[in-house]
Amino acid sequence: MRLTKPTLFTNIPVTCEDRDLPGDLFNQLMKDDPSTVNGAETLMLGEMLTLPQNFGNIFLGETFSSYISVHNDSNQIVKDILVKADLQTSSQRLNLSASNATVAELKSDCCIDDVIHHEVKEIGTHILVCAVSYTTQSGEKMYFRKFFKFQVLKPLDVKTKFYNAESDLSSVTDEVFLEAQIQNITTSPMFMEKVSLEPSMMYNVVELNTVKQAGEGMSTFGSRTYLQPMDTRQYLYCLKPKQEFAEKAGIIKGVTVIGKLDIVWKTNLGERGRLQTSQLQRMAPGYGDVRLSLEAIPDTVNLEEPFHITCKITNCSSERTMDLVLEMCNTNSIHWCGVSGRQLGKLNPSSSLYLALTLLSSVQGLQSVSGLRLTDTFLKRTYEYDDIAQVCVVSSTIQVES
C-alpha cells in the first residue's frame, strides 16, 4: 500500500430557502453532519481528513513511500522468510528493502511488515517488485513475487534563457543574466519553498527576485508563493565572474557551464518535492581575438558638440601578442575627432588598454556609435566594430542634465 498524506474531506452542500418545500430540513441536516464546519456548513471544505482511496499521482522529485506486509494465511509455521523489495525503472534496478536479513520463523496469522522510501529521480514507468522466499514445515523451499506498476509524472516545466551582458559603465565585466521560467503542470497548487541557482566555480550569483520595502527584502511574487496549476513564474539571476577569472578574458569567454537550478516545493498537507536541473549551459559569446567594450559614454549629448567616450581593448588570445592600429571611419551621423590610423602599440596576451576618444553627431535622435576598426599588423587582420552603443542627440538649445 502506498503511504501518502490524507486529504481534507469535502462535501457537497445542499440547501434551500425557508419558503421552499423542504423548509429548514436541508440546513438542519448539514448542521448535524459531523464533517461540516460549525457555523460555516455551506462551505465544501470540512474539518475531517480522508485516507487515500487510490494510488494517486506521483511526481518526479517526490519521495515514494510504501507499506509492505507479508501475512501467513496458513495454519502452519514457516521458516527462513526473506522479503525483498526492488524498484525497476527504465535504466536501473534498486533494492529498497530496509534489511536483507532472514526472519527465522513466521507463525500462523502473523505478518512481517516493512516500510520503504525512495526519492524518485526518473520519469516514466516504475515497477515495484516484491519477492518472498520461505521454507515450509516439510522443508520445501517456496518462492513468489508480486508486481506493482505505476507511472512517475513530470511536475514542472522549466525553460531557461541566457543574456550575455558585455562590460558597461560598471566595473564588472562579462555578466550573465539567467531567466528561469517555471510552470506548474500538475492539477493542484504548489507552495514554492525555494528556487535557487547554484553557480559553477567561476561565477558568483545574485538573485534578482526581491525588492526593497521599508528596508526589508520582499519577494516580487508577494507574501504567498503559491503556484496555481498551469501558472508560470519567471525567476531572474545575475552571474558575475569571480575576481580571479574576470581578469582573464581568454578563460571566461569560453565558459559555457553556468550552474544548476535547485527547486523545492510542497503540495498536499506539506508533501515535499525537490528537483535539481542538470548543468545549465549557454552559448559562449564569440569575441574573436580582440574585444572592444565601452567603459564610459554619456546618455545624452548636444547636437554638433564633441563628447567623449572611453573604450577598453582586450587581447583575448592567451598566446599571441598583437600590434594594433586604430582607424576611425565616419558615418552619416557620427563623426570622429582625432587622427585615424594611429599606432596603439603592442598588446600582450590576456591584457587590456583603455582608450579615450572624441566624437560628435550631426543628426538629432537616437544615434548608433559605429566605425571603429582595429588592425593587427602582425597578421594583417582587421576587426570591425559597429553599433557599439547608442546615444541620444538633442538640439543644443535644450539643456542636457549633467
Side-chain angles (χ1 to χ4, degrees):
M1 179 178 68
R2 183 189 173 193
L3 298 178
T4 57
K5 295 288 182 68
T7 56
L8 291 171
F9 180 80
T10 57
N11 53 37
I12 301 176
V14 179
T15 183
C16 64
E17 296 183 2
D18 294 339
R19 64 174 181 268
D20 290 336
L21 184 61
D24 195 43
L25 177 62
F26 290 155
N27 294 333
Q28 190 59 44
L29 288 174
M30 285 194 296
K31 290 180 180 180
D32 296 338
D33 189 341
S35 66
T36 59
V37 179
N38 188 22
E41 292 82 8
T42 56
L43 291 178
M44 291 185 63
L45 205 60
E47 294 180 321
M48 291 188 174
L49 298 176
T50 304
L51 293 176
Q53 303 299 305
N54 50 45
F55 186 87
N57 294 325
I58 184 164
F59 295 99
L60 184 69
E62 293 183 341
T63 299
F64 168 69
S65 299
S66 182
Y67 167 68
I68 298 173
S69 179
V70 178
H71 187 265
N72 185 359
D73 292 335
S74 71
N75 55 5
Q76 300 179 9
I77 298 176
V78 295
K79 299 179 180 180
D80 302 328
I81 304 97
L82 178 62
V83 182
K84 188 177 179 182
D86 292 343
L87 187 63
Q88 177 72 53
T89 70
S90 58
S91 63
Q92 58 184 335
R93 188 183 182 106
L94 303 167
N95 181 19
L96 304 184
S97 299
S99 174
N100 291 322
T102 301
V103 179
E105 66 175 24
L106 183 62
K107 296 180 180 180
S108 175
D109 206 28
C110 293
C111 59
I112 299 172
D113 299 323
D114 191 14
V115 176
I116 58 174
H117 305 279
H118 173 67
E119 184 179 347
V120 181
K121 298 181 180 179
E122 296 182 41
I123 59 174
T125 303
H126 287 56
I127 302 174
L128 180 64
V129 183
C130 297
V132 180
S133 62
Y134 62 95
T135 304
T136 64
Q137 282 185 333
S138 60
E140 183 181 3
K141 293 187 178 295
M142 305 294 290
Y143 175 82
F144 68 91
R145 292 189 301 176
K146 284 198 172 183
F147 300 89
F148 303 91
K149 187 176 179 180
F150 59 93
Q151 293 287 332
V152 175
L153 306 176
K154 185 179 175 182
L156 298 170
D157 187 26
V158 181
K159 297 178 181 178
T160 57
K161 294 181 181 178
F162 287 103
Y163 305 92
N164 299 306
E166 296 190 8
S167 59
D168 48 17
L169 302 183
S170 67
S171 59
V172 181
T173 62
D174 298 292
E175 292 180 350
V176 178
F177 290 90
L178 168 65
E179 177 191 348
Q181 299 180 0
I182 300 177
Q183 183 182 25
N184 177 9
I185 56 176
T186 69
T187 56
S188 59
M190 286 183 177
F191 171 75
M192 304 304 293
E193 185 174 290
K194 183 181 76 168
V195 180
S196 62
L197 177 65
E198 298 178 1
S200 62
M201 61 176 291
M202 290 190 178
Y203 286 96
N204 293 318
V205 65
V206 177
E207 293 193 13
L208 304 178
N209 304 307
T210 56
V211 292
K212 289 288 185 180
Q213 289 186 358
E216 296 183 358
M218 300 292 292
S219 171
T220 54
F221 308 111
S223 58
R224 298 181 180 179
T225 54
Y226 289 98
L227 191 59
Q228 297 294 334
M230 303 312 295
D231 278 2
T232 303
R233 278 187 183 165
Q234 286 90 4
Y235 293 84
L236 186 62
Y237 304 89
C238 176
L239 295 109
K240 302 177 182 179
K242 293 181 180 178
Q243 188 63 34
E244 59 267 31
F245 300 110
E247 298 171 354
K248 301 177 182 179
I251 295 178
I252 201 69
K253 75 166 186 175
V255 175
T256 57
V257 176
I258 297 300
K260 55 185 178 181
L261 286 170
D262 187 14
I263 307 169
V264 181
W265 70 91
K266 289 181 179 179
T267 54
N268 177 40
L269 293 182
E271 286 186 287
R272 196 168 182 263
R274 180 183 181 185
L275 278 182
Q276 276 192 329
T277 65
S278 56
Q279 289 288 348
L280 303 175
Q281 295 189 343
R282 60 156 182 163
M283 291 292 292
Y287 298 129
D289 295 331
V290 183
R291 179 183 178 187
L292 184 143
S293 55
L294 280 180
E295 294 296 305
I297 185 172
D299 294 328
T300 308
V301 298
N302 285 330
L303 181 67
E304 297 180 347
E305 290 186 9
F307 61 93
H308 306 284
I309 65 173
T310 302
C311 298
K312 180 182 178 182
I313 300 173
T314 303
N315 181 356
C316 296
S317 172
S318 59
E319 301 175 350
R320 190 167 57 83
T321 300
M322 297 181 178
D323 187 18
L324 298 176
V325 174
L326 174 67
E327 296 183 12
M328 300 179 291
C329 305
N330 294 335
T331 63
N332 292 333
S333 58
I334 294 294
H335 305 274
W336 297 92
C337 304
V339 179
S340 180
R342 61 170 163 154
Q343 295 278 346
L344 299 181
K346 294 182 179 180
L347 188 60
N348 294 324
S350 301
S351 59
S352 304
L353 64 85
Y354 292 87
L355 194 62
L357 299 174
T358 304
L359 59 160
L360 61 85
S361 176
S362 59
V363 180
Q364 294 187 76
L366 191 64
Q367 303 301 327
S368 179
V369 177
S370 302
L372 287 181
R373 306 288 183 264
L374 288 172
T375 301
D376 181 8
T377 59
F378 288 154
L379 295 182
K380 306 298 183 183
R381 183 180 296 170
T382 300
Y383 305 90
E384 299 181 357
Y385 299 95
D386 295 316
D387 297 321
I388 304 169
Q390 292 180 323
V391 292
C392 181
V393 183
V394 299
S395 173
S396 56
T397 58
I398 301 176
Q399 184 67 30
V400 178
E401 294 183 3
S402 58

